[in-house]
Amino acid sequence: MSGEASKGLARFDQELAEAAMKGQWEFDRLLEGLVGGPRPAGVPHLWRWKDVNAKLLEACDVLPESFTARRNLAFMNPGLDRGTSHTMVMGMQMLKPGEIAWSHRHTMAAIRFVVDGSPDLVTVVDGERLPMEDNDLVLTPRWTWHDHHNGTDGNVTWLDALDIGLVLALNGGFYETLGERRQPEHERSGSTLANRSGDVRPTWERRKELHVPHRYPWRDVEPILLGMAAEDGSPFDGIVLEYVNPITGGHTMPTISCWIQMLRPGERTRPHRQTSSGMYHVVRGAGTTTVDGVDLEWTDRDCFVIPNWAEHSFVNRSTTEEAILFSVHDIPTLEALGLYYETPEPSLGVAPWPAVPADVTRPR
Ligand code: GTQ
Ligand code: FE2
């Protein structure tokens, strides 16, 4: 071989880089790191209500007007640059008496789960007035106008969750303000959904499920959950129900699945892992969620995150009271792309995860 031909790989790699190219061999390490599945993105983490509430109350002083910014404290995963999980963010928001969080819209889809609510706390979504009583769930689908109104004489608090990591990864973010504090409300409350969930629907709307403001009142959900206490449930999650999209009967929203879960007194679930990530809020009760060997000990109103592909199991530490958890998952996105798997066995009626020969499974 001539001297010019054997310039060496390192030199060649550098020349490729200068020509805006990279040899596939440079990705070998990345691929080898995926044997046995992905490393969980971020770490398991718990945010205690005691600490979150104290910071929210402080924020009420530091940010006296709610419209200067949403008075929301987002939960930052200590193992990530942004977000609660790599695809989503969860946080708590507080409004003082009489405040309005001004109307805006964005292509991030959002949900609200009410912590301290009232019939006089309202989110208006694309003209629909959605009251927010304790433990209600309210949907703000992507690109719907929304403003929040505290018509009570006390502070109110709710949980926000958005698919922000996903939308930013796809570089699909749009945002605008209305320019008014509040949007006009429909005269006939509930007409958006009523006109789209019956026998006839508008032909000019192509993806109706994206745009349905909806409220799931706790007074309807709780009796169904408690009424299933004697059922088998899932060996991995106990009694767990999905909030379904009222138009499609499918996932809550195209990118977000919301669950309400009951662990019966003393219940211990089997460990499993999913390619999805989950963010949890304790409605009531006391228990432990063990995530890749880390014990997250939770009680009323605490929040925690289970990163994707992290093994997790639940224990209700009380032998007399049920524990109830609300949670938000990125399952619909992974499912739509054929990337949703669970192990040791599928519990959501989906295809099994790709088998990995035992001898190449990375030790964890
Ligand atoms: O209340 O509209 O936590 O737009 C993040 C972005 C809440 C909201 C968040 C938002 C909102
Ligand atoms: Fe918003």
Side-chain angles (χ1 to χ4, degrees):
M1 230 188 230
S2 76
E4 307 93 83
S6 58
K7 57 177 69 164
L9 187 56
R11 174 85 190 282
F12 183 52
D13 282 344
Q14 195 190 331
E15 287 171 7
L16 281 174
E18 284 160 12
M21 288 184 248
K22 194 175 234 186
Q24 196 275 350
W25 54 90
E26 293 235 58
F27 297 112
D28 274 359
R29 206 149 19 122
L30 186 152
L31 289 170
E32 274 156 19
L34 300 179
V35 172
R39 300 266 173 204
V43 295
H45 194 78
L46 177 85
W47 291 265
R48 291 192 191 288
W49 166 249
K50 183 169 62 71
D51 304 330
V52 172
N53 187 48
K55 289 283 188 278
L56 282 169
L57 290 169
E58 231 182 291
C60 284
D61 292 333
V62 178
L63 288 167
E65 301 285 352
S66 67
F67 52 81
T68 57
R70 291 291 202 262
R71 198 183 288 112
N72 167 282
L73 304 182
F75 301 143
M76 292 289 108
N77 190 308
L80 294 173
D81 291 338
R82 65 162 184 243
T84 311
S85 85
H86 62 313
T87 56
M88 305 181 289
V89 69
M90 178 177 265
M92 286 269 190
Q93 187 164 166
M94 189 176 270
L95 281 186
K96 295 199 286 187
E99 286 185 334
I100 299 176
W102 284 24
S103 201
H104 72 189
R105 64 177 175 176
H106 36 72
T107 50
M108 280 65 87
I111 64 96
R112 330 262 162 216
F113 188 84
V114 185
V115 174
D116 267 319
S118 157
D120 298 320
L121 168 63
V122 171
T123 289
V124 181
V125 186
D126 269 2
E128 294 289 346
R129 185 183 176 81
L130 307 175
M132 298 167 76
E133 296 185 59
D134 290 357
N135 302 330
D136 286 355
L137 172 66
V138 163
L139 305 187
T140 312
R142 57 178 96 266
W143 209 237
T144 53
W145 292 109
H146 52 284
D147 33 88
H148 315 297
H149 304 249
N150 180 5
T152 78
D153 53 15
N155 289 350
V156 290
T157 310
W158 66 85
L159 196 72
D160 301 287
L162 298 88
D163 58 0
I164 192 159
L166 175 71
V167 172
L168 294 183
L170 297 172
N171 203 21
F174 291 76
Y175 169 77
E176 65 184 9
T177 53
L178 184 63
E180 307 284 334
R181 278 154 58 94
R182 56 201 312 158
Q183 60 183 302
E185 291 176 31
H186 292 163
E187 276 173 36
R188 199 158 65 81
S189 176
S191 59
T192 304
L193 180 57
N195 293 347
R196 285 157 185 82
S197 56
D199 289 347
V200 291
R201 302 182 185 189
T203 59
W204 63 90
E205 292 178 5
R206 289 183 57 230
R207 301 192 64 191
K208 304 165 191 71
E209 74 277 14
L210 293 179
H211 299 289
V212 184
H214 192 48
R215 170 194 183 200
Y216 302 81
W218 183 242
R219 66 170 173 282
D220 295 340
V221 172
E222 186 183 28
I224 298 173
L225 184 67
L226 296 179
M228 295 183 85
E231 307 258 348
D232 289 345
S234 152
F236 305 105
D237 295 302
I239 301 291
V240 62
L241 309 178
E242 183 180 20
Y243 290 86
V244 299
N245 183 290
I247 299 278
T248 65
H251 291 304
T252 320
M253 290 199 288
T255 53
I256 288 178
S257 174
C258 297
W259 292 3
I260 192 74
Q261 172 178 3
M262 172 169 55
L263 300 167
R264 290 152 291 190
E267 184 162 6
R268 289 174 171 272
T269 68
R270 287 173 53 199
H272 74 159
R273 65 176 98 229
Q274 303 160 272
T275 51
S276 54
S277 55
M279 309 184 295
Y280 287 73
H281 167 71
V282 182
V283 175
R284 63 175 187 254
T288 306
T289 301
T290 304
V291 186
D292 274 350
V294 177
D295 286 340
L296 303 175
E297 307 229 337
W298 41 260
T299 183
D300 293 3
R301 297 184 166 196
D302 291 347
C303 294
F304 59 92
V305 61
I306 302 179
N308 68 310
W309 211 234
E311 188 177 75
H312 57 278
S313 58
F314 299 91
V315 178
N316 179 351
R317 290 201 306 268
S318 168
T319 53
T320 54
E321 306 294 324
E322 72 269 359
I324 297 183
L325 302 172
F326 170 79
S327 57
V328 183
H329 306 261
D330 53 9
I331 291 172
T333 306
L334 290 152
E335 222 175 57
L337 301 175
L339 291 170
Y340 183 74
Y341 308 110
E342 296 176 46
T343 185
E345 63 197 55
S347 64
L348 299 182
V350 296
W353 69 301
V356 175
D359 59 342
V360 301
T361 303
R362 191 174 55 232
R364 289 179 186 271

